[in-house]
Amino acid sequence: GAVVSQHPSWVICKSGTSVKIECRSLDFQATTMFWYRQFPKQSLMLMATSNEGSKATYEQGVEKDKFLINHASLTLSTLTVTSAHPEDSSFYICSARDASGRSDEQFFGPGTRLTVL
Amino acid sequence: QKEVEQDPGPLSVPEGAIVSLNCTYSNSAFQYFMWYRQYSRKGPELLMYTYSSGNKEDGRFTAQVDKSSKYISLFIRDSQPSDSATYLCAMSAPRGSTLGRLYFGRGTQLTVWP
C-alpha cells in the first residue's frame, strides 16, 4: 500500500517551453501533497505544499507564477514549470500524506528528472 | 542555524560493518522522526519512523531518538553492498502545528564495499 507515482519519470525540453509533472496517490487519498526539488548530492528542498481544493502554499524564494501547482482531486496534484530555463533542470519529487490521519508519514514518488536544453 | 544538521559524508565501510548515521536538530517541537533511503536517481523510501524518544528496531536497522539531546541515530548491522545509498533523516512536529511539514537533513552518502 501507500504508493505514489509520478509521470513522466524524465523529460527533456527546450528552453522557453512549459512542462507538466503529475503526482498521483494510487491506493490512498491525499488532501496534502508536497513538491520538492533536489540538486545533485543535495537534500530535498521543499518548494510548495499542495492542498486539495485550495491554493498551494509556496516556500520563500519559490516563484508561484513559474511553478504552477494544481491539486484538483484527492489523488492528483500537478506541477507545471512554465517557460523553463536550463537552471530549472533538476530532480522533482512529490510526496503525499494519507488523508485518513492514521499517521504523519509522507510517501514519496519516484521523482521526475527535468533537463532543459 | 539550519533546523536539521546531518554530516553528508561520504562514508565508506566494508561489508559486515556496523554503520552509525546521525542527525541533530534545533527545534524542540519536533516529535516525529524518520529515516529515508534514497538510491541514485530514485525517490526516497521510508526506512524507519519513530514517535518521540526511544529505540525502534526493524531487522538490521535500529533507530534511536534522544529528544533531550536533540539527537537521532540510525544503526545498520551487518551492512551489505545493497545498503549503499544516501540516507536522509527527516522530522516534523504534530500535524496541526505550523511545523507540520517535513524538515530534512542534507543526507549521508554511504558506500558498503564487498
Side-chain angles (χ1 to χ4, degrees), chain A residues 10-102:
Chain A
W10 59 270
V11 57
I12 301 173
C13 69
K14 292 182 178 180
S15 185
T17 60
S18 294
V19 175
K20 179 185 284 188
I21 303 170
E22 292 185 350
C23 177
R24 293 182 185 272
S25 56
L26 298 185
D27 50 3
F28 65 99
Q29 294 185 328
T31 52
T32 304
M33 292 184 172
F34 302 86
W35 286 96
Y36 299 83
R37 65 188 297 180
Q38 185 179 35
F39 293 106
K41 299 188 183 297
Q42 298 292 319
S43 189
L44 284 74
M45 291 175 50
L46 180 65
M47 298 175 65
T49 302
S50 170
N51 301 296
E52 187 266 337
S54 65
K55 291 184 179 181
T57 304
Y58 290 82
E59 294 298 300
Q60 190 173 10
V62 178
E63 298 176 58
K64 62 181 180 181
D65 294 329
K66 180 168 184 62
F67 298 99
L68 301 179
I69 291 173
N70 183 275
H71 193 154
S73 78
L74 287 173
T75 59
L76 173 64
S77 176
T78 60
L79 168 68
T80 301
V81 183
T82 62
S83 187
H85 289 93
E87 58 266 29
D88 298 323
S89 298
S90 187
F91 194 49
Y92 291 86
I93 307 173
C94 72
S95 71
R97 177 180 279 161
D98 190 338
S100 71
R102 284 171 293 190

Side-chain angles (χ1 to χ4, degrees), chain B residues 57-77:
Chain B
E57 188 173 322
D58 184 2
R60 296 185 294 112
F61 298 90
T62 299
Q64 289 184 351
V65 176
D66 182 348
K67 290 188 69 180
S68 63
S69 302
K70 297 188 178 67
Y71 186 87
I72 69 171
S73 302
L74 176 71
F75 298 95
I76 307 174
R77 292 186 299 280

Side-chain angles (χ1 to χ4, degrees), chain A residues 34 36 38 41-44 46 59 91 93 97-99 101-106 108-111 113, chain B residues 32 34 36 38 40-46 49 88 92-95 100-102 104-107 109:
Chain A
F34 302 86
Y36 299 83
Q38 185 179 35
K41 299 188 183 297
Q42 298 292 319
S43 189
L44 284 74
L46 180 65
E59 294 298 300
F91 194 49
I93 307 173
R97 177 180 279 161
D98 190 338
R102 284 171 293 190
S103 78
D104 262 17
E105 291 185 46
Q106 285 186 29
F108 284 83
R113 183 159 302 280
Chain B
Y32 300 94
M34 288 137 277
Y36 288 87
Q38 185 178 25
S40 181
R41 297 174 179 266
K42 301 290 185 183
E45 58 174 317
L46 183 66
Y49 178 87
L88 298 147
S92 69
R95 183 187 292 240
R101 51 168 282 192
L102 278 181
F104 280 90
R106 190 175 166 184
Q109 185 179 348

